[in-house]
Amino acid sequence: MILARKVNEMTDEFELRNQEELEKFEVHISEFYSMIGLCITRFQTVNDYIADIFHAALGGSNEKADGIFQVARGLESQLALVTACMADRSSPLRELWSDLRPRIKFAADNRNQIAHAKSHHNGPTVVLKRDDESDRFVLVDVQYEKQRMELRKKHKVGESVWSLLELREEKSRLDEIFAHQIIIKGFLAGEPPRPSLAKRWDHPAVDKCMNQ
């Protein structure tokens, strides 16, 4: 009778803890898929803003800039157009673009990984212990708190794995890139950004541009 009561108490404890962990996991799943969407849409904002940077770098009418930019096919061509327009700009501006351009390209590669990866559920950790009397493994614990969602994308040389933490970090990087795009576009257009925004780009060339 005492043994039966003990078993029931353990069962109730498992169910209560599991229910709490499952509720946490539902929040985890929701944020996981939300972060995927945020990374993809945030990169699209970054990608679209390249045209604004090109317009500011080229100068002249918007119609002229639009006509030239539409000829560019693909990200590499668009970035190359901006680079060409930077040829006669000041050294600090060229430094800023040289810093920003590879980060945009890297973000594009990450975006493609995220958009084309498959979601994967790493299930809870099951703890087993060998029972000496029966010589069998018996269930000791199920650690639901260790389950998580991941994105996985296979490559020729391996596999990319994106956890929720890594997706959060990517979203932060994209936010930073977009802030830096706004800063450099302002300098190119002769409209320096407000100091609070300029401080978001920790690069010595920013101070040079602000003081020009």
Side-chain angles (χ1 to χ4, degrees):
M1 191 71 176
I2 295 176
L3 179 59
R5 184 182 305 164
K6 184 66 175 176
V7 170
N8 288 336
E9 290 175 356
M10 291 177 62
T11 301
D12 292 342
E13 180 184 349
F14 266 115
E15 289 181 353
L16 178 60
R17 193 183 67 180
N18 293 347
Q19 182 60 36
E20 292 174 349
E21 294 300 334
L22 286 173
E23 290 175 358
K24 292 179 182 178
F25 188 59
E26 288 178 358
V27 175
H28 170 86
I29 292 175
S30 178
E31 184 181 359
F32 175 77
Y33 284 109
S34 294
M35 198 56 61
I36 292 172
L38 286 171
C39 285
I40 293 173
T41 56
R42 194 55 164 169
F43 174 76
Q44 191 59 50
T45 300
V46 167
N47 188 73
D48 291 345
Y49 204 77
I50 298 171
D52 295 78
I53 296 174
F54 174 71
H55 286 194
L58 181 66
S61 66
N62 288 335
E63 291 79 6
K64 176 182 177 182
D66 286 337
I68 297 173
F69 196 75
Q70 288 175 6
V71 175
R73 298 298 180 185
L75 179 67
E76 287 285 6
S77 296
Q78 294 173 354
L79 296 176
L81 278 178
V82 177
T83 301
C85 290
M86 288 289 184
D88 60 350
R89 291 290 184 160
S90 67
S91 177
L93 276 173
R94 293 198 304 272
E95 288 180 36
L96 291 179
W97 178 244
S98 294
D99 175 79
L100 183 58
R101 176 177 175 168
R103 288 189 287 134
I104 295 174
K105 178 62 173 65
F106 185 71
D109 294 338
N110 286 344
R111 179 268 175 202
N112 289 337
Q113 288 183 23
I114 293 170
H116 299 290
K118 293 182 179 180
S119 59
H120 178 79
H121 175 209
N122 276 328
T125 300
V126 177
V127 181
L128 301 175
K129 180 180 179 181
R130 184 182 292 278
D131 180 64
D132 293 334
E133 294 183 3
S134 64
D135 197 31
R136 293 181 177 179
F137 285 99
V138 295
L139 179 65
V140 175
D141 192 14
V142 181
Q143 298 173 349
Y144 285 94
E145 68 274 11
K146 294 189 177 182
Q147 64 179 335
R148 64 189 184 280
M149 296 297 298
E150 292 177 340
L151 283 179
R152 294 188 177 185
K153 175 64 176 176
K154 291 185 177 180
H155 309 285
K156 293 181 180 179
V157 294
E159 184 179 43
S160 297
V161 179
W162 292 84
S163 66
L164 175 57
L165 176 60
E166 288 162 330
L167 289 169
R168 288 172 181 161
E169 291 173 347
E170 181 64 15
K171 170 61 167 51
S172 295
R173 282 191 292 268
L174 289 166
D175 288 342
E176 181 180 71
I177 288 172
F178 185 55
H180 294 177
Q181 286 181 302
I182 294 174
I183 292 170
I184 196 170
K185 188 254 185 179
F187 286 140
L188 289 166
E191 302 171 356
R194 61 185 184 278
S196 59
L197 177 59
K199 288 180 180 179
R200 295 185 63 179
W201 199 343
D202 186 17
H203 194 290
V206 171
D207 292 333
K208 296 177 182 177
C209 290
M210 290 291 286
N211 296 325
Q212 284 181 350

